[in-house]
């Protein structure tokens, strides 16, 4: 029987444990706070930000929100980040990407105080992750690690293939998998759009993690019997239903499920874990900034 991993259930379990951490912080007089900065009128970005705010509210993390007109000069965004860097109520700062073309997104990532960088994208935090001394692990790959652990998938000594090499998913995912640490010690191959014979690489893997944004790229013929398949992709494809679209992953679920021992669905797999790990990093940021010990899950 294939184990279809329920990201909502795993996420809820972690959120329960984070609630206890928040109680510990409150006992020490600290209410954790997450600041979101939105410089976009894109509907999807607005939805992501409001989902993050709602998740904070549900668990007892204070939300601070700055909204910048997308046509405003870049300086307005940097002023907002500067103010949040100085605001003790903001333990974590998240600038919703993408920012408009006239704003240099790398400069945005560098402008956030590394101690408040709950996305884990500041070069200092990227460097720490690579060096095996992570402060904030990027939320999506960290969520994948937690899902693998929840399914008792031991990564040690396994052949893992990560399909995708973006800065937010593929690269940090591979970096986590190669660390000499729990959830690491995997022999890891990173594939991308220039990879020759992708199917041969994925077929040789014990663990396949797809993060490409290419709908149903990985099908059952590309998976070995008994593999673990983690689908990070979220793609809207046209469908003959009321909404006119449906969400599919980067994995063709039905055919891959025939082969895999463990697989994540889309939606309901990796997605819920990403926001959970953002809450995790915010709690961690508050505990580091106030020197309060909490037992993070
Ligand atoms: P990017 O577009 O930044 O990166 C995609 C990567 O996939 C690139 O490295 C690209 O290669 C590679 N790729 C694209 N097509 C192919 C192909 N045909 N064969 C092999 N490799 C390919 O995407 P992200 O990493 O930001 O996101 C990936 C997916 O994950 C998206 O569907 C996104 O919506 C989803 N996502 C989901 C999250 C969640 O919480 N569930 C969070 C973040 C992302 P190259 O570098 O050569 O161009």
């Amino acid at each position: 029987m294939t184990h279809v991993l329920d990201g909502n259930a795993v996420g809820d379990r972690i959120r329960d444990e984070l609630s206890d951490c928040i109680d510990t912080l409150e006992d020490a007089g600290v209410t954790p706070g997450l600041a979101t900065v939105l410089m976009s009128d894109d509907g999807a970005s607005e939805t992501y930000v409001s989902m993050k705010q709602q998740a904070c509210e549900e668990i007892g993390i204070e939300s601070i929100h700055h909204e910048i007109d997308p046509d405003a000069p870049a300086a307005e965004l940097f002023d907002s980040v500067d103010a949040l860097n100085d605001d003790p109520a903001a333990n974590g700062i998240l600038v919703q990407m993408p920012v408009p073309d006239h704003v240099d997104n790398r400069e945005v990532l560098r402008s956030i105080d590394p101690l408040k960088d709950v996305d884990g994208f500041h070069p200092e935090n990227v460097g720490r992750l690579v060096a095996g001394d992570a402060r904030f692990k990027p939320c999506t790959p960290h969520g994948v690690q937690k899902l693998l652990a929840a399914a008792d998938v031991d990564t040690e000594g396994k052949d893992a293939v990560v399909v995708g090499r973006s800065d937010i998913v593929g690269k940090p995912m591979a970096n986590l998998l190669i660390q000499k640490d729990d959830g690491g010690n995997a022999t890891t191959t990173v594939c991308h759009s220039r990879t020759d014979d992708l199917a041969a690489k994925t077929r040789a893997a014990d663990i396949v993690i797809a993060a490409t944004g290419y709908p149903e790229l990985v099908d059952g013929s590309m998976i070995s019997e008994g593999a673990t398949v983690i689908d990070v992709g979220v793609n809207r494809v046209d469908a003959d239903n009321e909404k006119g679209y449906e969400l599919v992953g980067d994995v063709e679920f039905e055919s891959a499920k025939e082969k895999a021992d463990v697989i994540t669905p889309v939606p309901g797999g990796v997605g819920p874990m990403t926001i959970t790990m953002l809450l995790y990093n915010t709690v961690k940021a508050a505990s580091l900034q106030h020197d309060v010990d909490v037992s993070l899950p």
Side-chain angles (χ1 to χ4, degrees):
M1 266 276 281
T2 309
H3 179 177
V4 179
L5 264 168
D6 182 346
N8 285 304
V10 178
D12 283 349
R13 243 182 0 250
I14 295 174
R15 288 184 202 206
D16 280 348
E17 290 180 53
L18 287 175
S19 269
D20 296 338
C21 300
I22 292 171
D23 288 345
T24 307
L25 285 164
E26 291 283 359
D27 289 346
V30 178
T31 301
L34 174 68
T36 47
V37 182
L38 178 66
M39 189 177 191
S40 167
D41 47 20
D42 169 59
S45 291
E46 286 167 355
T47 305
Y48 287 138
V49 167
S50 70
M51 283 165 68
K52 289 165 187 171
Q53 288 170 325
Q54 193 189 332
C56 283
E57 194 183 318
E58 281 167 11
I59 202 173
I61 293 175
E62 205 73 40
S63 279
I64 302 166
H65 183 57
H66 287 191
E67 219 158 300
I68 319 283
D69 187 319
D71 295 324
E76 272 195 38
L77 177 61
F78 292 111
D79 287 347
S80 162
V81 173
D82 282 349
L84 291 167
N85 282 338
D86 290 338
D87 181 353
N91 301 114
I93 302 171
L94 179 152
V95 177
Q96 184 64 44
M97 295 291 168
V99 287
D101 288 345
H102 66 281
V103 183
D104 178 346
N105 71 319
R106 285 184 193 273
E107 206 183 322
V108 174
L109 301 181
R110 282 195 298 268
S111 70
I112 297 171
D113 180 343
L115 276 168
K116 297 189 173 190
D117 167 40
V118 284
D119 264 337
F121 298 152
H122 187 288
E124 180 178 315
N125 287 319
V126 175
R128 288 183 68 132
L129 173 71
V130 174
D133 183 25
R135 180 192 279 139
F136 300 118
K137 296 181 182 176
C139 303
T140 302
H142 193 190
V144 171
Q145 244 188 352
K146 293 284 185 194
L147 276 176
L148 291 171
D152 287 328
V153 176
D154 189 2
T155 51
E156 183 165 332
K158 299 284 166 44
D159 288 320
V161 165
V162 179
V163 193
R165 57 174 165 182
S166 71
D167 291 339
I168 64 168
V169 189
K171 280 184 203 159
M173 186 74 249
N175 274 318
L176 288 174
L177 286 166
I178 61 170
Q179 292 305 320
K180 249 186 186 177
D181 203 352
D182 291 345
N185 289 313
T187 306
T188 305
T189 303
V190 182
C191 299
H192 43 76
S193 67
R194 316 291 168 88
T195 295
D196 190 26
D197 200 353
L198 177 65
K201 312 281 188 298
T202 54
R203 233 180 268 130
D206 304 301
I207 300 168
V208 176
I209 300 172
T212 67
Y214 190 105
E216 301 184 323
L217 173 71
V218 177
D219 65 22
S221 74
M222 298 167 71
I223 301 293
S224 71
E225 206 66 57
T228 294
V229 179
I230 304 289
D231 190 353
V232 179
V234 183
N235 309 292
R236 261 188 194 198
V237 295
D238 293 341
D240 194 10
N241 60 21
E242 225 172 81
K243 286 189 276 188
Y245 70 87
E246 62 179 356
L247 293 181
V248 300
D250 294 350
V251 174
E252 194 186 85
F253 183 78
E254 289 305 330
S255 64
K257 185 167 161 257
E258 294 297 310
K259 295 280 202 64
D261 267 6
V262 177
I263 190 166
T264 59
V266 175
V270 174
M273 294 301 294
T274 296
I275 292 191
T276 300
M277 302 324 290
L278 175 66
L279 303 175
Y280 177 107
N281 279 348
T282 305
V283 169
K284 184 170 187 184
S287 95
L288 289 174
Q289 286 158 32
H290 292 277
D291 204 13
V292 178
D293 264 343
V294 293
S295 319
L296 284 162

